[in-house]
Amino acid sequence: MTGVLSSQQIQGMIDSGAIAAEPAVTPAQIQPASLDLRLGHIAYRVRASFLAGEGRSVAERLREFEMHRIDLTAGAVLEKGCVYVVPLMESLALPASVQATANAKSSTGRLDLLTRAVTDGGAEFDRIPAGYSGPLYAEICPRSFSVLVRPGMRLNQIRFSTGDAVLNDADLVALHASDRLVDCSPVISDGLGFSVDLRPATGTLVGYRAKPHAGVIDLDNIDHYDQADFWEEVHTREGRIILDPGAFYILVSRESVHIPPQYAAEMAPYLAMVGEFRVHYAGFFDPGFGHSAAGGTGSRGVLEVRCHEAPFVLEHGQIVGRLIYERMDTVPDTLYGADLSSNYQGQGLKLSKHFKSL
């Protein structure tokens, strides 16, 4: 067994006790190649982000960094610019051969809501070693908007795998030849290159920039908020924009992506040398994303971009990220976009599901 574990294998881990939860995992949490994780009932406001470190527990470190506790039962606001740690309802007792990777869900990343998994003994965010046994926590830092959360909300997800299932560049070239991965000539170098679209087929709208002093977003409110209350439109006729330091943008990839059913993918940031910005918080692409087997005709990748220290000129077609493809151990029973409430199949430039469509 080598590869990313599918939905039916995740269900098997639940049945065997390798994944435990209180209350029990619901069917809606199980995705084609990942499991949604749920917030528990308490949030700890902490002085700073931290990792537990070898031989130490998150609970132990919370005693060092906790400022106060917040009961989430009736709903509570997590304020912009603050750092919180929330115990999750799920815990793990992984087999020695199974490791895991966590990532923010798409809607979480599109709100600039930095959400990372933390574990006992952990030396990295979002990386859970094979054989890990213990609780799971979410570190949450709202960057652009304060958010109202409740127990059971699903802000991040976890993917399980065995062995090394990553496709090398030769594998990607062969896969693109047999089962098209993008709708243009691929840029393959340590993964499949992703570039930014700043020359739309119609009009001049190329993205959105988060407003700095917007209101609170209740994460249960879907198709609810007016875009103009939270976002400024970004337009260009020149095929380039200037990113402002500290600002957060939603842009879109030039490429339409296809993820065949036998594969999953993760979006990784591009090398720091390309510029003063970072792309992506939410990085999992499920089997079937944009693929004809799930009724897709290609889906753009939404880019969550934050500029760092200096203003930076971003040009149309500039490579800003890369997709890392991995083999599935087993093809999932249900693909992304097929018989699922998949919000972003066939997407273009699109804000999170919380905002009304124009």
Side-chain angles (χ1 to χ4, degrees):
M1 184 169 71
T2 299
V4 175
L5 303 191
S6 64
S7 51
Q8 55 268 35
Q9 292 171 301
I10 292 171
Q11 182 61 60
M13 293 176 67
I14 296 167
D15 295 341
S16 70
I19 301 170
E22 181 57 45
V25 173
T26 66
Q29 289 176 249
I30 303 175
Q31 306 302 324
S34 62
L35 176 72
D36 291 348
L37 301 172
R38 299 169 296 175
L39 300 182
H41 290 79
I42 297 174
Y44 297 87
R45 168 79 164 89
V46 294
R47 290 186 286 129
S49 173
F50 66 87
L51 290 162
E54 186 176 354
R56 307 188 71 179
S57 70
V58 175
E60 177 186 350
R61 303 310 301 272
L62 279 171
R63 289 194 287 272
E64 298 178 50
F65 300 114
E66 176 188 346
M67 297 174 67
H68 61 269
R69 303 181 189 188
I70 303 168
D71 185 352
L72 302 183
T73 303
V77 172
L78 305 186
E79 296 185 17
K80 172 184 171 180
C82 298
V83 183
Y84 303 86
V85 174
V86 181
L88 298 172
M89 294 181 175
E90 290 73 32
S91 61
L92 301 177
L94 295 179
S97 61
V98 177
Q99 67 255 0
T101 304
N103 220 315
K105 289 177 63 64
S106 294
S107 293
T108 307
R110 293 181 200 204
L111 292 175
D112 198 18
L113 186 55
L114 179 62
T115 303
R116 304 186 287 192
V118 187
T119 59
D120 288 349
E124 293 182 275
F125 293 108
D126 287 337
R127 296 293 185 265
I128 302 166
Y132 174 78
S133 183
L136 297 171
Y137 299 82
E139 180 198 273
I140 304 170
C141 180
R143 303 290 303 279
S144 290
F145 312 117
S146 296
V147 294
L148 179 65
V149 301
R150 299 176 183 84
M153 283 185 169
R154 297 177 281 167
L155 303 189
N156 57 344
Q157 56 196 335
I158 191 167
R159 180 175 278 180
F160 303 94
S161 63
T162 61
D164 182 4
V166 174
L167 274 65
N168 61 32
D169 288 350
D171 295 330
L172 283 174
V173 170
L175 181 58
H176 179 73
S178 64
D179 197 337
R180 185 182 60 168
L181 301 180
V182 290
D183 60 347
C184 56
S185 179
V187 176
I188 295 175
S189 177
D190 293 327
L192 179 67
F194 238 31
S195 65
V196 63
D197 184 5
L198 297 177
R199 292 191 184 277
T202 59
T204 60
L205 177 66
V206 296
Y208 299 91
R209 170 180 162 154
K211 289 188 171 182
H213 306 294
V216 174
I217 295 175
D218 183 335
L219 298 184
D220 273 341
N221 287 342
I222 308 303
D223 193 26
H224 178 81
Y225 296 100
D226 289 331
Q227 295 183 12
D229 291 337
F230 294 85
W231 300 93
E232 300 170 352
E233 292 186 349
V234 178
H235 292 264
T236 182
R237 292 182 174 86
E238 302 170 330
R240 66 175 183 266
I241 59 174
I242 298 177
L243 302 178
D244 290 326
F248 178 75
Y249 298 82
I250 295 293
L251 305 173
V252 70
S253 74
R254 188 169 57 98
E255 299 82 5
S256 290
V257 178
H258 302 252
I259 310 294
Q262 306 91 336
Y263 299 90
E266 181 176 2
M267 190 174 177
Y270 212 57
L271 296 175
M273 289 86 80
V274 302
E276 286 290 326
F277 64 92
R278 173 201 165 152
V279 174
H280 120 78
Y281 296 109
F284 286 162
F285 288 67
D286 274 335
F289 180 86
H291 197 268
S292 58
T297 56
S299 291
R300 307 276 200 100
V302 167
L303 308 174
E304 301 140 11
V305 178
R306 176 172 291 280
C307 187
H308 294 321
E309 303 298 329
F312 184 78
V313 177
L314 196 60
E315 307 267 4
H316 175 73
Q318 184 169 341
I319 299 292
V320 294
R322 65 193 193 280
L323 274 182
I324 307 300
Y325 279 73
E326 295 182 86
R327 296 178 181 85
M328 294 294 298
D329 180 73
T330 303
V331 175
D333 288 338
T334 303
L335 300 176
Y336 186 93
D339 303 321
L340 289 173
S341 56
S342 305
N343 292 292
Y344 305 119
Q345 182 73 301
Q347 70 183 355
L349 177 64
K350 185 177 175 67
L351 295 172
S352 79
K353 61 187 179 182
H354 306 92
F355 298 98
K356 296 176 183 177
S357 300
L358 296 178

